[in-house]
Amino acid sequence: MPCTISVTAPSYAVTPLTFSCSKSTPICHTSNFLTKQNRKPLLRVTKSMNSNRVVKVKATVSIEKETPETERPDTFLRGNDDGVASSVRFRFEKMIREAQDKVCNAIEIADGGGKFKEDVWSRPGGGGGISRVLQDGAVWEKAGVNVSVVYGQMPPDAYRAAKGAASNDQKPGPIPFFAAGISSVLHPKNPFAPTLHFNYRYFETDAPKDAPGAPRQWWFGGGTDLTPAYIFEDDVKHFHSVQKKACDKFDPTFYPRFKKWCDDYFYIKHRDERRGLGGIFFDDLNDYDLEMLLSFATECANSVIPAYIPIIEKRKDLPFTDHQKAWQQLRRGRYVEFNLVYDRGTTFGLKTGGRIESILVSLPLTARWEYDHKPEVGSEEWKLLDACINPKEWI
């Protein structure tokens, strides 16, 4: 009796594949299974003795590559989604694309000459994105503003990355998902001008094939946070005041709750310090009305420009020393450490075969590491580090 092999796995994920053999038939000598896309070995099965058992092998499945596009489509939604103007998917995509246009326009005006390079891409399985990067401008060393709409099959470890390590609703197999979001990191040249990060996203999962009837899940996530190298209290208070104003329009508990969440999330455990001076952060948010949360995410995205651009206008042309620039580069090193080691968005993108240039656009153009560097106690650099170790209430 021939060996029966059943392989089902997403085309871009790393996931266990199960082989079932009859008691009388051994798994044959070394066999290669080929991907449809590139005909390279997908996985290797080696000789085994007869037994009535299931053999599980982990295999790296080839990634479904992006297709470059020459023009922006009206929507990245699949055909069965794009005609429903009332759907959350449609309205969220519309919101993030409008936010991308507004933020990029504000960044270019403040820079006074730099222009964003734009890449438009799609995937055969549906979805796509627009990546924009301004590099080596007059004000910004590197500024990235990306939007994406993604359909796919999520392996269990990526589901845990998306939901967080503490998630108890771990699914037994690949989970169909939809994700849309805007993500941006803005790294100025001047050490007195702070870095800004913001990200707003909407996520849905459907029942996996091996768990029919499981409920569809949805949630919102995101936040906006400030990472300066030097503290100007008026700037930090202004930034947090704008975040609080956006939160208070929906629930007075949002700002204190999401401010603490931000301080806790951007914690670099191996350094025992925060990445920056916080802002707001939330994730897995689905315990409120869906329409309310869509409006809340929209309000937060629309608050980015008034929270940040006035600070840039005040600080972008201040004179600075080589010592101050070196300190900025050291803090950029902390930024890199957090993003590559702890950030859930980066982890999720890498585990699901995301577009690598878009995932790593958050990293600064330059950074610095010095052995056992400690700022002088009482210095401006020390004040920043103290605020990162001991989060403050700014308003």
Side-chain angles (χ1 to χ4, degrees):
M1 179 178 178
C3 179
T4 302
I5 299 176
S6 175
V7 179
T8 56
S11 60
Y12 53 85
V14 178
T15 188
L17 304 180
T18 301
F19 295 76
S20 300
C21 294
S22 69
K23 184 175 181 179
S24 61
T25 308
I27 295 180
C28 54
H29 290 77
T30 300
S31 303
N32 290 331
F33 294 86
L34 308 178
T35 62
K36 183 177 180 181
Q37 293 95 331
N38 57 22
R39 308 305 297 172
K40 293 181 180 179
L42 171 64
L43 57 99
R44 185 172 290 265
V45 180
T46 55
K47 182 177 179 181
S48 177
M49 299 300 293
N50 292 10
S51 66
N52 186 16
R53 70 195 188 284
V54 173
V55 180
K56 292 186 178 180
V57 217
K58 282 202 171 184
T60 302
V61 184
S62 63
I63 188 172
E64 183 180 62
K65 292 296 184 182
E66 313 85 30
T67 301
E69 303 289 350
T70 56
E71 296 183 357
R72 286 174 246 153
D74 292 335
T75 180
F76 288 106
L77 296 177
R78 286 174 175 168
N80 58 337
D81 285 341
D82 63 11
V84 188
S86 61
S87 74
V88 174
R89 294 182 179 190
F90 181 92
R91 286 180 290 153
F92 194 83
E93 184 199 17
K94 181 174 184 292
M95 182 275 283
I96 60 178
R97 291 183 64 170
E98 289 175 352
Q100 183 187 43
D101 289 341
K102 292 175 184 177
V103 171
C104 288
N105 182 61
I107 293 301
E108 288 184 346
I109 291 173
D111 193 85
K115 297 294 180 182
F116 280 90
K117 176 184 184 297
E118 178 178 277
D119 290 326
V120 182
W121 50 275
S122 65
R123 282 227 172 102
I130 303 170
S131 299
R132 294 179 185 166
V133 178
L134 188 159
Q135 194 163 285
D136 276 329
V139 173
W140 273 273
E141 180 183 276
K142 187 179 180 185
V145 189
N146 300 332
V147 296
S148 62
V149 174
V150 181
Y151 298 84
Q153 297 282 331
M154 195 188 330
D157 56 347
Y159 180 80
R160 289 188 287 272
K163 289 287 287 178
S167 175
N168 292 320
D169 53 348
Q170 297 175 4
K171 303 299 182 181
I175 301 105
F177 76 92
F178 167 87
I182 181 169
S183 181
S184 175
V185 178
L186 310 172
H187 293 293
K189 289 184 172 180
N190 195 304
F192 296 127
T195 287
L196 182 86
H197 160 259
F198 72 91
N199 173 287
Y200 292 98
R201 55 196 177 275
Y202 174 67
F203 215 98
E204 289 182 7
T205 63
D206 292 324
K209 291 181 180 179
D210 52 1
R216 180 180 71 88
Q217 298 189 42
W218 60 265
W219 65 89
F220 289 86
T224 306
D225 62 281
L226 197 70
T227 306
Y230 290 91
I231 296 178
F232 293 89
E233 287 208 15
D234 288 347
D235 295 351
V236 184
K237 289 178 178 179
H238 165 77
F239 175 78
H240 278 269
S241 294
V242 175
Q243 307 312 307
K244 184 177 185 301
K245 181 179 178 182
C247 290
D248 286 351
K249 289 182 179 181
F250 297 87
D251 190 317
T253 69
F254 275 5
Y255 174 74
R257 176 183 169 192
F258 298 157
K259 192 268 184 189
K260 183 181 186 305
W261 203 339
C262 186
D263 290 336
D264 292 342
Y265 177 76
F266 291 105
Y267 174 64
I268 308 172
K269 185 176 181 180
H270 61 270
R271 298 284 189 181
D272 191 25
E273 63 189 63
R274 277 77 187 166
R275 189 176 75 177
L277 301 186
I280 59 171
F281 176 86
F282 56 91
D283 211 353
D284 306 336
L285 200 62
N286 61 4
D287 50 352
Y288 295 83
D289 178 72
L290 189 149
E291 291 293 332
M292 181 266 227
L293 292 179
L294 175 62
S295 296
F296 174 58
T298 302
E299 180 70 24
C300 290
N302 289 338
S303 298
V304 169
I305 294 173
Y308 185 56
I309 295 299
I311 297 173
I312 291 296
E313 293 294 347
K314 289 166 63 177
R315 308 301 173 193
K316 65 180 182 178
D317 296 320
L318 293 180
F320 58 86
T321 66
D322 289 343
H323 170 78
Q324 290 161 339
K325 183 66 177 178
W327 173 248
Q328 179 199 46
Q329 300 303 293
L330 287 167
R331 296 310 303 174
R332 293 267 172 87
R334 299 295 202 268
Y335 210 95
V336 172
E337 290 175 29
F338 177 84
N339 280 30
L340 294 183
V341 178
Y342 300 109
D343 184 67
R344 278 168 59 179
T346 302
T347 301
F348 174 77
L350 295 175
K351 286 182 181 294
T352 56
R355 184 175 184 268
I356 195 67
E357 291 299 326
S358 299
I359 296 168
L360 299 183
V361 76
S362 64
L363 302 184
L365 197 60
T366 60
R368 181 184 182 97
W369 284 265
E370 290 184 16
Y371 180 75
D372 198 27
H373 181 276
K374 293 182 175 64
E376 182 182 350
V377 175
S379 66
E380 294 303 312
E381 293 81 11
W382 179 88
K383 292 177 183 177
L384 184 280
L385 182 58
D386 180 64
C388 291
I389 295 172
N390 304 294
K392 302 180 185 300
E393 298 300 324
W394 296 100
I395 55 175

